[in-house]
Amino acid sequence: MSAIIQSSDDAIISKDLNGTVLSWNPAATRIFGFTEAEMVGQSIRKLIPDDRQSEEDDIIARVVRGERVKSFDTLRCRKDGTQIPVSITVSPVYDKAGTIVGASKIARDITARVEGQRAQQESEARFRMLADNITHLAWVAEASGSIGWYNKRWYDYTGVAEGATDGWGWDKVHHPDHVDRVRDHFANSMAAGKEWEDTFPLRAHDGTYRWFLSRALPIRNSDGQILYWFGTNTDVTEMLEKEEQIRVLLMEVNHRSKNLLAVVQALARRSGGNDPEFLQRFESRLSSLAANQDLLVRRGWSTIDMGELANAQMAILAPESRAQVQVMGNQMMLSPRTAEIIGMALHELATNALKYGALSIPSGKVSLSWEERDERFCIDWRESGGPTPREPERHGFGTTLIRHIPARSLHADVTLDYAPTGVHWMLCCSIETARKLAS
């Protein structure tokens, strides 16, 4: 028994009913700083802070009644005056006659536990401070998708009682026209373990609806297993309204621009005299500009995919001629100005091929392809199976559209070869220029 007491990591102290220390083990010295000689014969109250002296009165009274004082957390003083958190258990000690003559106390230093709890509380407080004050509605769901926590912003916005939308109860504040779609998408994303994103209206506390962009990311453990989902809802109502205003404005600008092109077309007809070929060529080029503009408006005057641009310009061809053109290439986003320049060049090439080249006969073929090659963007137009091409004796505005404007505006290397097998046109410029050229 002595060996157990001496080797224990907990302070084991015995005292009489007056609180005088009778025994003091080495762990008590490590925890409180007092040696056995300094404490045996001294009152145990020496360890108790002034504001906690009543604890000893209660302990002695309960021991006298034969009660065991179950473990409780409190503070005790070290020799240097500092206070440390301890967990204390006290039991009565009986003599051979069964009379209570004292008490044994076990004290455990719980500093690490208390500091851990304090750190956890501070962490939770910081999280709540952050979560409740961000502009987003935020929530945390179980791995299954069942939501168990919302931040204050959610309750402030929706006006629902706390806990009313836990689990899958969030459908209460969703617009009925969207809730089925949203629920299915959400459940499928949770089941697949994929990031979730959606846009839908949520009902506010006053009954109105606002649009939210919502996202959820999986929180995984070290083994990759999903533990939770962290989600946010961001109010994008004003952004969507502004986007709609911009779309309407672009449509109006597009409409007016087309009206202006129609005026220019009418003026050309009146001024073109008896040159129907000039009029046809001029109107065709105006149509190419209009096709580019339609594409830019649909894209919000942002970047345009090369594939979309190619298909828009090949739309001038009749179905049987369009079937003779093979279009190949990966996605490549072009700036609006780059798209205009390349679009006009492709239109001119297609027109020439239709009149004089591979598309002028049913057996002719055109291969239009593009690729990224060593930080450069290259487009290749290659005709085959058509009449033997002849380089024109005089180079007009068409050559300028195909060769000179792209070379000058895109700082591109442009080749136009009237080879016996068919016309071959190639343009190469830097990828950065193609993507970032100012419009």
Side-chain angles (χ1 to χ4, degrees):
M1 180 66 70
S2 175
I4 292 173
I5 293 173
Q6 294 298 311
S7 62
S8 172
D9 288 332
D10 295 333
I12 301 177
I13 304 166
S14 64
K15 61 185 178 181
D16 62 20
L17 296 179
N18 294 319
T20 302
V21 175
L22 302 176
S23 66
W24 182 269
N25 74 337
T29 298
R30 289 195 300 271
I31 293 173
F32 298 111
F34 292 100
T35 65
E36 183 179 8
E38 290 173 319
M39 284 303 297
V40 171
Q42 301 294 318
S43 174
I44 195 67
R45 293 179 182 272
K46 194 172 183 179
L47 304 179
I48 303 175
D50 292 341
D51 60 347
R52 292 179 179 265
Q53 289 292 325
S54 60
E55 290 180 0
E56 181 65 9
D57 297 332
D58 179 63
I59 290 171
I60 294 298
R62 294 175 64 182
V63 167
V64 169
R65 294 196 298 269
E67 296 179 15
R68 180 175 181 271
V69 180
K70 295 182 179 180
S71 177
F72 70 97
D73 297 344
T74 185
L75 293 175
R76 290 296 182 258
C77 295
R78 287 177 53 84
K79 183 178 180 179
D80 59 9
T82 60
Q83 294 184 3
I84 59 170
V86 292
S87 176
I88 292 176
T89 303
V90 184
S91 301
V93 174
Y94 299 84
D95 64 10
K96 291 180 179 181
T99 303
I100 296 173
V101 294
S104 66
K105 177 172 79 172
I106 298 176
R108 174 170 295 175
D109 185 348
I110 58 172
T111 302
R113 190 185 81 190
V114 169
E115 289 178 349
Q117 290 174 340
R118 184 183 299 115
Q120 183 178 358
Q121 291 169 355
E122 290 175 355
S123 177
E124 290 178 355
R126 285 194 296 268
F127 170 76
R128 286 201 168 274
M129 179 178 64
L130 173 65
D132 288 338
N133 289 282
I134 59 176
T135 57
H136 312 281
L137 315 183
W139 42 271
V140 175
E142 302 293 332
S144 63
S146 175
I147 300 177
W149 173 87
Y150 291 92
N151 70 342
K152 186 174 181 295
R153 292 280 184 183
W154 170 269
Y155 294 111
D156 289 344
Y157 174 78
T158 61
V160 299
E162 188 169 345
T165 51
D166 283 0
W168 293 78
W170 41 263
D171 56 359
K172 298 183 182 69
V173 295
H174 274 250
H175 196 285
D177 293 346
H178 298 265
V179 65
D180 290 338
R181 172 187 63 82
V182 173
R183 187 191 296 109
D184 291 344
H185 184 200
F186 183 74
N188 291 337
S189 296
M190 299 299 106
K194 296 180 180 179
E195 296 180 8
W196 172 73
E197 181 175 314
D198 207 342
T199 304
F200 46 77
L202 290 174
R203 189 182 68 237
H205 58 86
D206 59 1
T208 61
Y209 284 90
R210 294 183 68 83
W211 284 87
F212 285 82
L213 171 63
S214 301
R215 295 188 176 98
L217 296 175
I219 308 300
R220 302 176 185 270
N221 61 16
S222 58
D223 296 327
Q225 181 182 6
I226 295 176
L227 301 177
Y228 301 99
W229 293 85
F230 178 73
T232 59
N233 307 95
T234 305
D235 191 338
V236 293
T237 305
E238 293 181 2
M239 182 184 73
L240 293 178
E241 290 174 349
K242 289 178 181 178
E243 286 181 354
E244 178 62 17
Q245 292 172 358
I246 292 171
R247 189 188 69 82
V248 172
L249 180 60
L250 286 174
M251 294 294 291
E252 177 65 18
V253 170
N254 190 38
H255 175 70
R256 295 191 182 192
S257 297
K258 285 188 173 180
N259 286 344
L260 182 59
L261 289 177
V263 171
V264 172
Q265 191 175 46
L267 289 173
R269 286 174 180 168
R270 290 177 177 272
S271 307
N274 299 318
D275 191 348
E277 184 178 354
F278 163 78
L279 288 176
Q280 182 182 4
R281 197 85 172 200
F282 185 74
E283 289 179 358
S284 179
R285 287 167 179 162
L286 285 180
S287 297
S288 174
L289 281 173
N292 273 351
Q293 186 152 312
D294 282 340
L295 192 55
L296 285 167
V297 169
R298 287 200 302 270
R299 281 285 191 171
W301 213 262
S302 62
T303 55
I304 295 175
D305 179 44
M306 177 63 199
E308 289 186 63
L309 177 65
N311 288 325
Q313 292 303 329
M314 295 304 104
I316 65 167
L317 303 174
E320 58 272 13
S321 298
R322 178 65 181 86
Q324 296 173 243
V325 180
Q326 183 182 28
V327 177
M328 299 173 294
N330 295 327
Q331 186 183 67
M332 174 66 185
M333 305 309 294
L334 306 176
S335 72
R337 179 60 178 152
T338 302
E340 287 181 346
I341 294 168
I342 293 177
M344 290 295 292
L346 293 178
H347 175 86
E348 199 68 22
L349 288 165
T351 302
N352 290 344
L354 193 61
K355 295 180 67 175
Y356 318 111
L359 300 182
S360 64
I361 61 175
S363 61
K365 299 291 181 183
V366 171
S367 171
L368 171 59
S369 62
W370 59 90
E371 64 178 345
E372 297 179 27
R373 185 189 307 163
D374 298 328
E375 301 300 323
R376 291 178 70 75
F377 172 56
C378 295
I379 309 173
D380 189 271
W381 173 282
R382 196 179 297 269
E383 299 181 25
S384 61
T388 302
R390 291 186 303 170
E391 185 169 358
E393 298 177 359
R394 183 176 60 85
H395 296 289
F397 186 62
T399 304
T400 300
L401 289 174
I402 295 171
R403 176 182 285 172
H404 303 307
I405 291 179
R408 181 175 64 251
S409 299
L410 301 178
H411 308 292
D413 296 325
V414 181
T415 59
L416 180 59
D417 182 16
Y418 294 90
T421 54
V423 171
H424 179 214
W425 174 81
M426 176 174 281
L427 177 150
C428 286
C429 67
S430 74
I431 293 176
E432 182 178 9
T433 298
R435 289 174 173 167
K436 297 184 179 180
L437 187 65
S439 58

